């Protein structure tokens, strides 16, 4: 299970933003919208760009300490990426329509939640109930969704 604030989400967002910034001079994004979910996807074409924290930029200035070193990334095939993070409302629409259950919902083991001492798995938590300090309005990003769940989506 990917931790509550998914590194996958942060990585994909960084990937997209870096790609867009380095491709701006020739960028004319093709998008498509899934109307029922109010979800916009941006088409990312193959190409190479640099991702990561620039030397001299301190952690906490909009980047995390583990976002180094700068890394050259090559996209070898076209793929579609959400223009924004997936919201609780969008995930709920999918889960209800397909009767999909995440692993924490099936097992009851819970999701990994950040605490003062690091990530801990909290029994009974899921994307529906991620814990007391996690906002869960329909407009907030969904949390507690693993890679397999994202693939099912």
């Amino acid at each position: 299970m990917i931790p509550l604030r998914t590194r996958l989400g942060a990585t994909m967002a960084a990937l997209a933003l870096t790609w867009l910034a380095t491709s701006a001079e020739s960028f004319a994004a093709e998008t498509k919208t899934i109307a029922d979910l109010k979800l916009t996807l941006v088409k990312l074409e193959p190409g190479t760009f640099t991702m990561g924290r620039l030397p001299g930029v301190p952690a906490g200035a909009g980047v995390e300490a583990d976002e180094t070193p700068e890394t050259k990334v090559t996209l070898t095939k076209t793929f579609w990426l959400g223009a924004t993070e997936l919201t609780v409302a969008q995930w709920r629409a999918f889960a209800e329509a397909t009767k999909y259950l995440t692993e924490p919902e099936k097992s009851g083991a819970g999701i990994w939640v950040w605490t003062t001492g690091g990530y801990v798995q909290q029994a009974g938590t899921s994307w529906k109930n991620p814990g007391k300090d996690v906002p869960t309005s329909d407009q907030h990003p969904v949390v507690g969704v693993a890679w397999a769940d994202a693939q099912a989506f």
Side-chain angles (χ1 to χ4, degrees), residues 3-37:
L4 178 63
R5 286 272 176 203
T6 66
R7 294 297 304 152
L8 174 64
T11 301
M12 291 307 289
L15 176 78
L17 291 174
T18 304
W19 183 87
L20 292 173
T22 58
S23 304
E25 64 279 355
S26 62
F27 184 66
E30 182 181 342
T31 63
K32 63 181 171 183
T33 300
I34 302 171
D36 292 350
L37 292 177

Side-chain angles (χ1 to χ4, degrees), residues 95-116:
E96 289 176 354
T98 63
K99 310 279 190 257
Y100 186 84
L101 295 176
T102 61
E103 191 56 40
E105 291 176 285
K106 291 181 218 171
S107 71
I111 61 176
W112 291 85
V113 178
W114 178 257
T115 65
T116 314

Side-chain angles (χ1 to χ4, degrees), residues 63-78:
V63 295
E64 299 296 326
D66 63 353
E67 294 177 357
T68 59
E70 285 187 298
T71 304
K72 190 166 284 238
V73 176
T74 300
L75 303 178
T76 59
K77 61 182 179 177
T78 300

